[in-house]
């Protein structure tokens, strides 16, 4: 192949080659050196790899061991390829490109992934390879080095059980087992979250998920009144703060750790690796962050519990808008989360619409309840718990009315929590406020039906661009099917035009609990799968079908996708609710 045109690499597509002790499969071949890299797989028979059954016989242990193995392969590849690859771009068209082998490397959260497989039959690494070339001319010597030197070394140093740190792998698996067990016990303990003593909550920065250096951080210590002890299968007895079901406020002065605590809680829906600092921060698996999203799309959502009696007798029982206000978006997000059975909601005052959180006594006197369409959350949060069984954890720094409706109040000072419940209730008694009683009962949870139309993938399947964005390639016809905005709350009266609107991206920026672009890729594949079975069904049924589909069975183009990770059903539902082409009915 040396010196031949790049297209000659195509003859490798779909072929499997047996080497001494392993096989190499080419699932797809890139079109040129600048295109996304080729997909390859390295497989070793379990008889040679000798990974024990404890690495794959139980699903959560298998997920943990794949996490470890993927990180280990990433490390080995970095060592083997240090300075030996040509990433390309700056040297011009005819400079050497490619030569890099990579794996979808996990982050701090332990997710079900397709980057590797450990089973009773084999161990497999799903990799990408930038096939080397200069311009469109194949560089056979670089390809030979990749296939005959780098890959065999990866097999020997990463796919053989004797080559991995078995103690670290099994410690990670044991930690994941403990976290899963702890999460399974929360409901019976009357808790929605647990934060273990000694946890490291702060991260290095707002753009890093790595723990802050332990010599400069204040480790978490539960206040005595809120301490809970749990016996874990592997670690034994652990002690930490239990956040009880109901309404919990996290209060305190600015920069004292309120939001840091909430951010750790919202990531506690995932398991974390030893050394992350949040291994014992465990949250109800359905906990959902709610925030204001000005301009978001809302379709056929009953927001009457929060927004009702609009001017000119407009109804909100099946509300749609292409441009929601902050308060409208929060009302819709709560209803959408409850629809897919979220049992805990998370709020940070800093990212909420103030007029949705509270309406104080003076405003109640100035604008009567009959003239105000918005029922603030402070008037509903207890009903959410008492009638719907939905707990709330809220960071509150300025809305003192919430002291009247809270079950538990945690005060943060100098990053140290204390139980301020008694003090808060004393203040509420001494300084009473009037919290308006809603004029209507909350009502049943949504049970909408939906079709994801096949035209959504008419030109190309949806494709993840970043963690927070999915590119869409719908048919021209589908643009005319996107529902228009509803005039009134959250809608710009001048936004409707005669020209069909085109929305080339699905914006997931507000999904704070989406932690990996690999999850976003899986959501994009799930949307494609939904277009292949474009029948009307309930939102819960659609999300359930998507989330019970094996990651390996999701549409992946040619061959096997090694870059997918399992999203929660909550994030899948939140993504669908933001899809302007979805055909949703009450």
């Amino acid at each position: 192949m040396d010196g031949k045109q790049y297209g000659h690499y195509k003859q490798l597509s779909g072929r499997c080659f047996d080497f001494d002790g392993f096989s190499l499969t080419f699932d797809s071949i890139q079109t040129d050196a600048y295109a996304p890299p080729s997909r390859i797989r390295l497989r070793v028979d379990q008889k040679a790899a000798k990974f024990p059954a404890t690495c794959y016989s139980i699903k959560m242990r298998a997920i943990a061991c794949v996490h470890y193995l993927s990180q280990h392969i990433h490390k080995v590849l970095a060592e083997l390829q240090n300075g030996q690859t040509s990433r390309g771009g700056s040297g011009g068209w005819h400079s050497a490109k490619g030569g890099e082998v990579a794996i979808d490397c996990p982050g701090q959260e332990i997710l079900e992934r397709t980057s590797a497989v450990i089973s009773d039959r084999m161990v497999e690494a799903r990799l990408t390879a930038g096939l080397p070339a200069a311009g469109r001319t194949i560089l056979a010597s670089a390809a030979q080095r990749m296939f005959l030197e780098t890959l065999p070394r990866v097999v020997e140093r990463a796919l053989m059980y004797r080559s991995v740190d078995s103690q670290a792998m099994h410690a990670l698996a044991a930690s994941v087992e403990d976290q899963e067990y702890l999460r399974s016990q929360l409901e019976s303990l009357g808790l929605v979250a647990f934060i273990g003593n000694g946890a490291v909550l702060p991260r290095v920065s707002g753009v890093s998920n790595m723990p802050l250096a332990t010599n400069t951080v204040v480790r978490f210590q539960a206040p005595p009144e809120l301490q809970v002890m749990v016996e874990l299968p592997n670690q034994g007895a652990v002690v930490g703060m239990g956040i009880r079901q109901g309404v919990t406020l996290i209060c305190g002065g600015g920069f004292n750790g309120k939001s840091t605590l909430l951010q750790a809680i919202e990531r506690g829906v995932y398991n974390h690796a030893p050394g992350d600092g949040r291994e014992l921060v465990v949250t109800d698996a359905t906990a959902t962050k709610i925030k204001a999203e000005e301009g978001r799309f809302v379709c056929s959502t009953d927001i009457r519990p929060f927004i009702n009696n609009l001017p000119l007798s407009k109804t909100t029982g099946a509300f749609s808008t292409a441009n929601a206000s902050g308060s409208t978006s929060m009302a819709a997000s709560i209803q959408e989360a409850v629809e897919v059975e979220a049992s805990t909601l998370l709020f940070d005052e800093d990212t909420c619409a103030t007029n949705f959180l509270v309406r104080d006594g003076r405003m109640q006197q100035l604008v009567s309840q009959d003239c105000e369409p918005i029922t603030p959350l402070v008037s509903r949060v207890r009903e959410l718990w008492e009638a719907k069984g939905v707990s709330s954890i809220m960071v509150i720094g300025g809305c003192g009315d919430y002291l009247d409706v809270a079950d538990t109040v945690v005060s943060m000072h100098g990053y140290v929590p204390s139980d301020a419940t008694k003090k808060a209730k004393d203040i509420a008694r001494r300084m009473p406020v009037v919290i308006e009683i809603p004029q209507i009962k909350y009502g049943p949870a949504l049970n909408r039906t939906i079709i994801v139309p096949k035209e959504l993938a008419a030109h190309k399947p949806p494709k993840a661009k970043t963690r927070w964005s999915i590119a869409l390639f719908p048919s021209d016809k589908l643009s005319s099917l996107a529902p228009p905005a509803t005039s009134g709350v959250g809608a710009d009266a001048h936004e409707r035009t005669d020209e069909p609107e085109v929305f080339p991206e699905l914006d997931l920026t507000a999904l704070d609990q989406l932690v990996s672009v690999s999850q976003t890729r899986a959501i994009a594949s799930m949307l494609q799968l939904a277009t292949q079975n474009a029948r009307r069904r309930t939102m819960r049924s659609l999300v359930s079908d998507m989330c019970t589909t094996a990651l390996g069975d999701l549409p992946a183009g040619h061959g096997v996708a090694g870059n997918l990770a399992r999203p929660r059903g909550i994030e899948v539902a939140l993504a669908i609710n933001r899809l302007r082409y979805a055909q949703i009915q009450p």
Side-chain angles (χ1 to χ4, degrees), residues 17-206:
F17 297 88
D18 290 324
F19 290 77
D20 183 19
F22 72 96
S23 65
L24 168 62
T25 301
F26 293 87
D27 284 319
S28 67
I29 301 297
Q30 63 205 91
T31 54
D32 59 54
Y34 287 90
S38 305
R39 294 178 182 174
I40 65 173
R41 283 180 285 147
L42 291 177
R43 177 178 290 191
V44 178
D45 191 280
Q46 190 60 269
K47 292 179 181 178
K50 299 186 183 304
F51 280 76
T54 52
C55 294
Y56 54 80
S57 57
I58 300 173
K59 182 176 181 179
M60 283 313 305
R61 292 188 68 91
I63 290 171
C65 290
V66 165
H67 176 98
Y68 172 87
L69 189 62
S70 298
Q71 286 190 328
H72 181 63
I73 293 169
H74 175 77
K75 179 181 177 181
V76 168
L77 284 169
E79 293 170 353
L80 291 174
Q81 298 179 130
N82 185 24
Q84 296 184 14
T85 61
S86 301
R87 294 176 184 269
S90 60
W93 175 258
H94 295 289
S95 63
K97 310 291 189 302
E100 182 181 22
V101 181
I103 190 168
D104 187 34
C105 185
Q108 297 298 100
E109 286 79 20
I110 298 171
L111 310 172
E112 181 184 353
R113 292 183 170 273
T114 60
S115 50
V117 175
I118 307 174
S119 74
D120 60 344
R121 297 185 300 107
M122 51 82 174
V123 177
E124 183 173 272
R126 280 93 179 262
L127 311 172
T128 58
L131 300 183
R136 292 192 60 83
T137 302
I138 291 174
L139 295 177
S141 60
Q144 183 176 0
R145 187 164 57 247
M146 174 192 290
F147 299 141
L148 301 183
E149 296 180 22
T150 300
L151 295 183
R153 289 173 182 168
V154 171
V155 170
E156 179 57 35
R157 292 179 56 181
L159 299 186
M160 300 295 183
Y161 185 66
R162 63 177 178 268
S163 301
V164 306
D165 185 341
S166 58
Q167 186 174 355
M169 177 184 276
H170 289 292
L172 189 152
S175 178
V176 168
E177 277 188 331
D178 282 346
Q179 292 173 66
E180 283 292 303
Y181 176 81
L182 180 52
R183 192 172 290 108
S184 73
Q185 297 302 300
L186 289 177
E187 185 174 4
S188 64
L189 293 170
L191 305 177
V192 293
F194 177 93
I195 304 94
N197 287 347
V200 177
L201 306 188
R203 302 293 95 184
V204 168
S205 70

Side-chain angles (χ1 to χ4, degrees), residues 367-429:
V367 180
S368 69
Q369 189 174 14
D370 291 340
C371 296
E372 173 54 73
I374 300 175
T375 299
L377 181 61
V378 71
S379 296
R380 289 289 192 193
V381 70
R382 288 227 58 83
E383 189 179 7
L384 268 169
W385 165 237
E386 293 168 358
K388 299 293 181 185
V390 177
S391 297
S392 295
I393 303 175
M394 312 183 72
V395 167
I396 295 293
C399 297
D401 288 12
Y402 278 89
L403 299 183
D404 286 66
V405 296
D407 296 300
T408 305
V409 180
V410 177
S411 178
M412 298 294 294
H413 179 70
Y415 310 105
V416 176
S418 61
D419 182 8
T421 306
K422 183 178 183 303
K423 182 178 180 180
K425 292 187 179 299
D426 288 342
I427 292 171
R429 279 193 294 269

Side-chain angles (χ1 to χ4, degrees), residues 512-578:
D512 288 355
Q513 292 164 287
L514 197 63
V515 296
S516 169
V517 66
S518 305
Q519 291 177 300
T520 311
R521 293 189 195 104
I523 291 174
S525 293
M526 289 174 178
L527 291 176
Q528 182 185 355
L529 182 66
T531 67
Q532 296 171 0
N533 187 14
R535 59 185 175 85
R536 184 163 293 283
R537 47 194 152 163
T538 66
M539 181 72 75
R540 284 192 289 273
S541 173
L542 174 61
V543 170
S544 176
D545 289 348
M546 287 179 167
C547 292
T548 53
T549 300
L551 286 176
D553 292 338
L554 292 175
H558 299 289
V560 177
N563 60 356
L564 304 181
R566 175 76 65 187
R568 295 191 305 159
I570 294 287
E571 273 69 53
V572 175
L574 297 180
I576 294 170
N577 277 301
R578 286 155 180 78

Side-chain angles (χ1 to χ4, degrees), residues 216-352:
T216 61
V217 73
V218 177
R219 289 179 173 268
F220 189 86
Q221 183 66 39
E225 303 89 340
L226 300 178
Q227 274 197 170
V228 176
M229 186 180 75
V230 184
E231 189 78 23
L232 301 181
N234 298 296
Q235 189 171 339
V238 295
V239 177
M241 182 174 79
I243 296 184
R244 300 178 186 124
Q245 295 171 339
V247 181
T248 297
L249 305 187
I250 302 173
C251 301
F255 308 100
N256 277 266
K258 303 188 303 295
S259 294
T260 299
L261 174 56
L262 186 71
Q263 288 162 7
I265 291 168
E266 71 185 51
R267 292 295 182 94
V269 298
Y270 299 111
N271 300 320
H272 293 88
D276 174 82
R278 299 169 295 182
E279 306 94 302
L280 288 177
V281 180
V282 173
T283 308
D284 164 25
T286 69
T288 304
K289 179 79 171 289
I290 304 293
K291 61 197 297 187
E293 297 175 64
E294 290 192 16
R296 72 151 284 197
F297 171 70
V298 177
C299 186
S300 298
T301 302
D302 183 358
I303 59 173
R304 287 176 296 180
F306 298 101
I307 299 175
N308 200 17
N309 298 326
L310 297 182
L312 304 179
S313 301
K314 292 172 183 172
T315 63
T316 56
F319 185 80
S320 297
T321 179
N323 187 24
S325 67
S327 57
T328 307
S329 68
M330 290 189 68
S333 294
I334 290 173
Q335 292 293 82
E336 292 161 355
V338 173
E339 178 180 29
V340 288
E341 301 178 326
S343 55
T344 305
L345 303 179
L346 311 175
F347 303 88
D348 190 330
E349 184 181 61
D350 285 350
T351 58
C352 292

